[in-house]
Amino acid sequence: MHTYINTYIIHTYIHTYKHTFIHTYIHIHVHIYIHTCIHTYIQAYIHTYIHAHIQAYIHTYINTYMHYIHTYIHTYIHTYIHTYIHTYIHTYKHTYLEEESVKEWQRKWTQTNKGRTTKEYFPDVSERLKIKLQLTQNITAAVSGHGKTRDYLHRFKIIEEPTCSCGEGVQTTDHTIYECKRLIKERDRLKRTVTQTNRWPITKKDLIRRH
Ligand SMILES: [Zn+2]
């Protein structure tokens, strides 16, 4: 009986202890284990999955944004440089280079012995460039000294006498413009136009510029 009671007590004690122990063990360790597991899992999940997603999202966003910035800067710079260079070069070309080439042209034009007749009409290159002149065969011939005057024809040995048909003097371009009696009517018409703005006799330079 004694043994039986003792056995019972021990059994109960062990049982209780076992229960408590298991209970405590489960309660603490399993709970901690599960908690840790879940915690680790969530943390890992957050770290890898969400972090990666956010990073990818930010990357995409930044990339897109950067793309716009890039495009904007590129376009802006391109437009700016293009406009600036274009305007600058254009202006430079038009002012400086044209001025220089006209100066050079003028220098050569002043120095040369050729085109003496033309020079009387156009002594100034830049002035000539400003005139809008409808060049006909007659005007070109006249201003280049190749007008078919008797003087010209005589110089090229086509006719024997350079004397004008009016009988007074050699028939040069100057003679026909300023002197010839036979062209009084035409000269009067020219004079009337010329004297509205200039004085007669007008220089050939002003004649070609204004009339
Ligand atoms: Zn004459």
Side-chain angles (χ1 to χ4, degrees), residues 164 166 175 180:
C164 184
C166 71
H175 174 80
C180 189

Side-chain angles (χ1 to χ4, degrees), residues 85-170:
I85 287 174
H86 189 87
T87 310
Y88 182 78
I89 287 173
H90 201 79
T91 310
Y92 177 81
K93 199 185 91 189
H94 263 79
T95 56
Y96 185 76
L97 293 182
E98 204 165 287
E99 252 173 48
E100 282 305 299
S101 71
V102 169
K103 271 185 205 164
E104 178 64 13
W105 188 354
Q106 182 65 60
R107 200 178 58 78
K108 285 181 176 165
W109 182 232
T110 310
Q111 276 176 2
T112 186
N113 292 322
K114 290 171 187 167
R116 242 172 299 165
T117 310
T118 313
K119 236 187 261 185
E120 285 180 44
Y121 289 99
F122 308 112
D124 197 289
V125 173
S126 62
E127 285 289 320
R128 166 64 189 95
L129 292 172
K130 283 177 206 160
I131 303 167
K132 276 185 184 164
L133 197 61
Q134 199 83 45
L135 287 176
T136 64
Q137 216 177 353
N138 284 337
I139 286 177
T140 308
V143 301
S144 61
H146 295 279
K148 302 289 180 286
T149 59
R150 290 184 66 81
D151 175 52
Y152 178 84
L153 297 171
H154 176 253
R155 264 193 284 142
F156 287 91
K157 304 192 191 317
I158 295 162
I159 54 170
E160 287 187 4
E161 277 293 312
T163 314
C164 184
S165 51
C166 71
E168 290 181 10
V170 175

Side-chain angles (χ1 to χ4, degrees), residues 33-112:
Y33 178 76
I34 288 166
H35 189 87
T36 309
C37 271
I38 288 168
H39 194 84
T40 309
Y41 176 77
I42 286 170
Q43 212 166 32
Y45 176 79
I46 286 170
H47 259 113
T48 52
Y49 188 76
I50 292 172
H51 192 81
H53 263 76
I54 287 170
Q55 214 166 31
Y57 178 76
I58 287 168
H59 262 112
T60 311
Y61 181 76
I62 285 170
N63 280 341
T64 313
Y65 192 65
M66 285 307 285
H67 178 77
Y68 282 120
I69 287 174
H70 182 88
T71 309
Y72 177 77
I73 288 170
H74 188 87
T75 311
Y76 182 78
I77 287 171
H78 189 85
T79 310
Y80 179 77
I81 286 172
H82 187 85
T83 309
Y84 179 78
I85 287 174
H86 189 87
T87 310
Y88 182 78
I89 287 173
H90 201 79
T91 310
Y92 177 81
K93 199 185 91 189
H94 263 79
T95 56
Y96 185 76
L97 293 182
E98 204 165 287
E99 252 173 48
E100 282 305 299
S101 71
V102 169
K103 271 185 205 164
E104 178 64 13
W105 188 354
Q106 182 65 60
R107 200 178 58 78
K108 285 181 176 165
W109 182 232
T110 310
Q111 276 176 2
T112 186

